[in-house]
Amino acid sequence: MTDEPTDNSDSEHHRSISGDTPADESKENIVHFNPWRDFNDAAPQIDVFGDEPDPEQIAQFMQVVFGYSDGLIPVRSFIDKGQGIDGRPHNIWLEADQAAPEKMATFATWASREGAAVYVIPGTVAATGQAKAAEVLQMQTVVVDLDTGDIAAKRAHLERHLGAPTMVVESGGVTPEGQRKCHVWWALTEPAEGDDIARVCRLRGDIAAKVGGDMHFRSAHQPIRVAGSVYYKNSLKTLVRIVELNADLERDLIEFTEAVTDMPPAPGISLQPEFNHPDKPAMDDVLVTPVREGAQDDWSRFEGASAAIGYFIRMVHEGRLSKDEGWEGICGYNAAMLRPQWPVERLKRESERLWERHVEKYGPPLIRLDSGAPGPDEMPAFTLGALLDDQSPMPEDIIAPRVLTPGGLLVLGGAPKVGKSDLLISWLVHMAAGVPFLGFTPPRPLRIFYLQAEIQYHYLRERLKQIALPPEVLAAARDTFVATPKLKMLLDNEGSVQVARAVQTAFPDAPVDIICVDPIRNLFDGGPDGGGENDNTAMMFFLKERVEVLRDHIDPDCGVILIHHTKKLNKQQVKDDPFLALSGASALRGFYTSGLILHRPDEDASERKLEIELRNGPALPPKLIDKVDGQWVEINPMNERLVRQEVGAKQDAERDRKRDVILDILFEEAVAGRLYTTMQFAEAFENKSGLGSKFTIRERLSVLATKGHIKFLRDGAKFGYPKVRSRFGYLCVKGMHFRPEEHVDPETGEICETAVPVLPSHYKCQLSGVCMDVENPSVWVYPETGAGGKSASLTPKSEA
């Protein structure tokens, strides 16, 4: 992939400048450089057919790459491949000062006579002998190595999105398509130091990924050819030349980072990592190709071992192999393919080095655990005295009171269409906002990852918009509640890898507090035997090998919520033990720390009951909940019928029917020109319209008068009725009119109706039951307590 040595692909010679060889071996390759000393006493041999180093271009290169830097420049020369000659590498360290270009030109001239290429690490270090990534102190450029594909198109893409580069260097190599390989440089306004060096390296890697460049430049210590030196490779001798120089163009690191972030991949470029090098055998060939020492093969032992180790490291890092399996694979390759094989100590040292480098580049690994969560080295056990004497504070609940504790598992079950998802989303959004919900309280806004496999994206966003949630709750939970659209996957090992990465991507700065899986059925993995949810062994495998392992990898203290369906039980079974309704194996109930069951006590009523079972805290009473104005609220259980609920509901409905019938009759009778006192109405309509006896009707009238649905008129003279001496008077309902009369409008000829309203003069006091004067007959007022608010909307059908 590159003309210069790389971390994993070059021969063992590269390790000397990286500081990875033993101290004695490294010292043999260090040249104590004197710019006035000639490295060869023989007369110089001039190659009339080749190029010589160009001091002017070397000076230009050194100014762009090191002009602002302080410290020592690691320089390396080695014999390019394909010349038929051998030679060991030479490493020197030049002071980054005004004399550096002249010293570099002298060193390049000597290297040219030896047939050696010249490289530098484009950064400075503090002391001679240092060249590791962690030892780089300053870097003042960003570079990308274009060595494959359509070089011209890639350069055009870079310039279109990142602007003109400070310098373009043709490295000397030529692609199979005949295009010249090149290095594209952007100089920074000031050298990067400290954490900014890691940012520069990430930029180099991101640019390479988006245009198909050399990905090895993610490493700070990756060396690169010096412009103005000579390229010797495969019997080709040519100058590494600067083909474009804009020395005054410098970029601010932050602005340049934004430009790189906004740059799209070049056409035909995939951002999926590509680990195989076109100049190397494919990985499948590497793993089965024997390699002998002494450079007898094109593929050296170091290159083969590095590639194989890198392959197994990636498999372990991505969770496709356990650490033990990865180490076995590395040892197997060493024994079978390296002739002779490496010592185990060297193999282990190289594996650890590459592992640290891989983790540094790609972040924390996802380790697959083949036998569940790792157990402690020693089993903890405590005496009674130790437990009693421990006065340390209890861990803070994730959801109080003890509903979800650190590392706990909560199972929410319910029948289909009972409202589980609606209740769950409302609950989770409140927790993400840090707001109590139905008596469940978070200590702060929680970070929640909602892994759901039922609702597709567009319908998920529609449901979230339809759920009535307070605006302040939605605003507080915008960034702390993260949900997936419907997933088509199992929570097996590969699925666990994807979920873990998604969670870490969603919350990169702080660990997640709650992972919610909705529902178990759609993501269930029963293990190698493929058991279902009703199989205890399969359920335990899913809980221990999938759910617990995923939680322990992400954060052992985070809580897990599993959503599950319930099976059909009769009402007596649900009443006796509601948690028997959970579908599947009984192992689930014995495993969770908290259980919640949502069900309808009465299928004809809207109320739901939430049963609660806790392992880590005192028992909580069931909650009676319902949706009012689109929001879930808790209903006072004192208002709930405890016995003969179905009979009571029927009686309530019958009383409501009689109320409506009585109000309609009074309204219609007034239209017909008839008014009634309480006794006269009861006697007149006994056994009519299902109202029952006159005593039943009188009781209903008394109740309706107390609730404000019926009021009274003492003096009926206006309507041709005498003034009554009874306690109350004629019955009156809201909107009542007396015998409308028709007349013709003399101007328009329209037939109009005029009706005299029947307005009350007295009402029955709700508290004392005495007859009291109405203050304003035109305004119908209901009592402030009781059913007044609800009854205010009742209007006789005839009026409507």
Short mmCIF file of all heavy atoms in Angstrom, two decimals, residues 439-459:
data_model
loop_
_atom_site.label_atom_id
_atom_site.label_comp_id
_atom_site.label_asym_id
_atom_site.label_seq_id
_atom_site.Cartn_x
_atom_site.Cartn_y
_atom_site.Cartn_z
N GLY A 439 -44.88 7.64 40.38
CA GLY A 439 -44.22 7.30 41.64
C GLY A 439 -42.85 6.70 41.48
O GLY A 439 -42.18 6.42 42.49
N PHE A 440 -42.37 6.48 40.26
CA PHE A 440 -41.03 5.96 40.00
C PHE A 440 -40.11 7.17 39.77
O PHE A 440 -40.37 8.00 38.90
CB PHE A 440 -41.01 5.05 38.79
CG PHE A 440 -41.94 3.87 38.91
CD1 PHE A 440 -42.74 3.48 37.84
CD2 PHE A 440 -42.03 3.15 40.09
CE1 PHE A 440 -43.59 2.41 37.96
CE2 PHE A 440 -42.89 2.07 40.21
CZ PHE A 440 -43.68 1.69 39.14
N THR A 441 -39.00 7.22 40.51
CA THR A 441 -38.19 8.44 40.54
C THR A 441 -36.74 8.15 40.15
O THR A 441 -36.10 7.28 40.75
CB THR A 441 -38.21 9.06 41.94
OG1 THR A 441 -39.57 9.24 42.35
CG2 THR A 441 -37.49 10.40 41.95
N PRO A 442 -36.19 8.87 39.15
CA PRO A 442 -34.76 8.76 38.82
C PRO A 442 -33.96 9.75 39.66
O PRO A 442 -34.47 10.81 40.02
CB PRO A 442 -34.72 9.12 37.34
CG PRO A 442 -35.83 10.11 37.18
CD PRO A 442 -36.90 9.73 38.18
N PRO A 443 -32.68 9.46 39.94
CA PRO A 443 -31.87 10.42 40.71
C PRO A 443 -31.44 11.62 39.89
O PRO A 443 -31.07 12.65 40.46
CB PRO A 443 -30.66 9.57 41.13
CG PRO A 443 -30.55 8.53 40.07
CD PRO A 443 -31.95 8.22 39.63
N ARG A 444 -31.50 11.51 38.58
CA ARG A 444 -31.04 12.55 37.66
C ARG A 444 -31.51 12.14 36.28
O ARG A 444 -32.07 11.06 36.11
CB ARG A 444 -29.50 12.64 37.67
CG ARG A 444 -28.85 11.29 37.45
CD ARG A 444 -27.34 11.35 37.31
NE ARG A 444 -26.78 10.02 37.28
CZ ARG A 444 -26.81 9.22 36.23
NH1 ARG A 444 -27.37 9.63 35.10
NH2 ARG A 444 -26.28 8.01 36.28
N PRO A 445 -31.33 12.98 35.25
CA PRO A 445 -31.65 12.53 33.89
C PRO A 445 -30.80 11.30 33.52
O PRO A 445 -29.58 11.33 33.62
CB PRO A 445 -31.29 13.74 33.02
CG PRO A 445 -31.42 14.91 33.94
CD PRO A 445 -30.97 14.41 35.30
N LEU A 446 -31.45 10.24 33.12
CA LEU A 446 -30.77 8.98 32.83
C LEU A 446 -30.48 8.86 31.33
O LEU A 446 -31.25 9.33 30.50
CB LEU A 446 -31.63 7.79 33.28
CG LEU A 446 -32.02 7.75 34.76
CD1 LEU A 446 -32.90 6.54 35.04
CD2 LEU A 446 -30.80 7.73 35.65
N ARG A 447 -29.36 8.20 31.01
CA ARG A 447 -29.01 7.91 29.62
C ARG A 447 -29.62 6.55 29.28
O ARG A 447 -29.25 5.53 29.87
CB ARG A 447 -27.49 7.92 29.43
CG ARG A 447 -26.87 9.30 29.62
CD ARG A 447 -25.35 9.24 29.62
NE ARG A 447 -24.86 8.55 30.81
CZ ARG A 447 -24.66 9.13 31.98
NH1 ARG A 447 -24.90 10.42 32.13
NH2 ARG A 447 -24.21 8.44 33.01
N ILE A 448 -30.53 6.53 28.31
CA ILE A 448 -31.32 5.33 28.03
C ILE A 448 -31.16 4.94 26.57
O ILE A 448 -31.30 5.77 25.67
CB ILE A 448 -32.81 5.58 28.36
CG1 ILE A 448 -32.97 5.85 29.87
CG2 ILE A 448 -33.66 4.40 27.94
CD1 ILE A 448 -34.36 6.23 30.28
N PHE A 449 -30.87 3.64 26.35
CA PHE A 449 -30.80 3.09 24.99
C PHE A 449 -31.95 2.11 24.84
O PHE A 449 -32.01 1.08 25.50
CB PHE A 449 -29.46 2.39 24.77
CG PHE A 449 -29.22 2.03 23.32
CD1 PHE A 449 -28.63 2.93 22.45
CD2 PHE A 449 -29.60 0.79 22.82
CE1 PHE A 449 -28.41 2.61 21.12
CE2 PHE A 449 -29.39 0.46 21.50
CZ PHE A 449 -28.79 1.37 20.64
N TYR A 450 -32.88 2.46 23.95
CA TYR A 450 -34.11 1.68 23.76
C TYR A 450 -33.94 0.79 22.52
O TYR A 450 -34.04 1.25 21.40
CB TYR A 450 -35.29 2.63 23.60
CG TYR A 450 -36.64 1.98 23.40
CD1 TYR A 450 -36.98 0.80 24.05
CD2 TYR A 450 -37.59 2.55 22.57
CE1 TYR A 450 -38.21 0.21 23.87
CE2 TYR A 450 -38.84 1.99 22.39
CZ TYR A 450 -39.15 0.82 23.04
OH TYR A 450 -40.38 0.23 22.86
N LEU A 451 -33.63 -0.48 22.75
CA LEU A 451 -33.39 -1.45 21.69
C LEU A 451 -34.71 -2.15 21.40
O LEU A 451 -35.10 -3.06 22.13
CB LEU A 451 -32.31 -2.45 22.14
CG LEU A 451 -31.94 -3.57 21.18
CD1 LEU A 451 -31.19 -3.03 19.98
CD2 LEU A 451 -31.11 -4.63 21.89
N GLN A 452 -35.41 -1.71 20.35
CA GLN A 452 -36.74 -2.28 20.10
C GLN A 452 -36.80 -2.92 18.72
O GLN A 452 -36.13 -2.49 17.78
CB GLN A 452 -37.81 -1.21 20.28
CG GLN A 452 -37.81 -0.09 19.27
CD GLN A 452 -38.68 -0.37 18.06
OE1 GLN A 452 -39.65 -1.13 18.13
NE2 GLN A 452 -38.33 0.24 16.94
N ALA A 453 -37.60 -3.97 18.63
CA ALA A 453 -37.67 -4.77 17.40
C ALA A 453 -39.11 -5.00 16.98
O ALA A 453 -39.46 -6.05 16.48
CB ALA A 453 -36.97 -6.12 17.62
N GLU A 454 -39.96 -3.98 17.17
CA GLU A 454 -41.36 -4.11 16.79
C GLU A 454 -41.83 -3.01 15.85
O GLU A 454 -42.61 -3.26 14.94
CB GLU A 454 -42.25 -4.11 18.05
CG GLU A 454 -42.30 -5.44 18.77
CD GLU A 454 -43.40 -5.49 19.81
OE1 GLU A 454 -43.68 -4.46 20.45
OE2 GLU A 454 -43.98 -6.57 19.99
N ILE A 455 -41.40 -1.78 16.06
CA ILE A 455 -41.97 -0.64 15.35
C ILE A 455 -40.94 -0.10 14.36
O ILE A 455 -39.80 0.20 14.74
CB ILE A 455 -42.38 0.47 16.33
CG1 ILE A 455 -43.25 -0.10 17.45
CG2 ILE A 455 -43.12 1.57 15.61
CD1 ILE A 455 -43.54 0.89 18.56
N GLN A 456 -41.33 0.03 13.09
CA GLN A 456 -40.43 0.56 12.08
C GLN A 456 -40.23 2.07 12.29
O GLN A 456 -41.00 2.72 13.00
CB GLN A 456 -41.00 0.30 10.68
CG GLN A 456 -41.06 -1.19 10.34
CD GLN A 456 -41.81 -1.45 9.05
OE1 GLN A 456 -42.75 -0.73 8.74
NE2 GLN A 456 -41.40 -2.46 8.30
N TYR A 457 -39.20 2.60 11.64
CA TYR A 457 -38.74 3.96 11.93
C TYR A 457 -39.87 5.00 11.85
O TYR A 457 -40.09 5.77 12.79
CB TYR A 457 -37.61 4.35 10.97
CG TYR A 457 -37.27 5.82 11.02
CD1 TYR A 457 -36.50 6.33 12.06
CD2 TYR A 457 -37.75 6.70 10.06
CE1 TYR A 457 -36.20 7.69 12.13
CE2 TYR A 457 -37.47 8.06 10.12
CZ TYR A 457 -36.69 8.54 11.16
OH TYR A 457 -36.41 9.87 11.22
N HIS A 458 -40.59 5.03 10.70
CA HIS A 458 -41.57 6.09 10.50
C HIS A 458 -42.72 5.97 11.50
O HIS A 458 -43.25 6.99 11.96
CB HIS A 458 -42.09 6.05 9.07
CG HIS A 458 -41.03 6.36 8.05
ND1 HIS A 458 -40.47 7.61 7.91
CD2 HIS A 458 -40.40 5.55 7.14
CE1 HIS A 458 -39.57 7.59 6.95
NE2 HIS A 458 -39.50 6.36 6.47
N TYR A 459 -43.10 4.75 11.85
CA TYR A 459 -44.19 4.57 12.80
C TYR A 459 -43.71 4.80 14.23
O TYR A 459 -44.50 5.16 15.10
CB TYR A 459 -44.80 3.19 12.61
CG TYR A 459 -45.20 2.97 11.17
CD1 TYR A 459 -44.39 2.23 10.31
CD2 TYR A 459 -46.34 3.57 10.65
CE1 TYR A 459 -44.73 2.07 8.98
CE2 TYR A 459 -46.69 3.42 9.32
CZ TYR A 459 -45.88 2.67 8.49
OH TYR A 459 -46.21 2.53 7.18
#
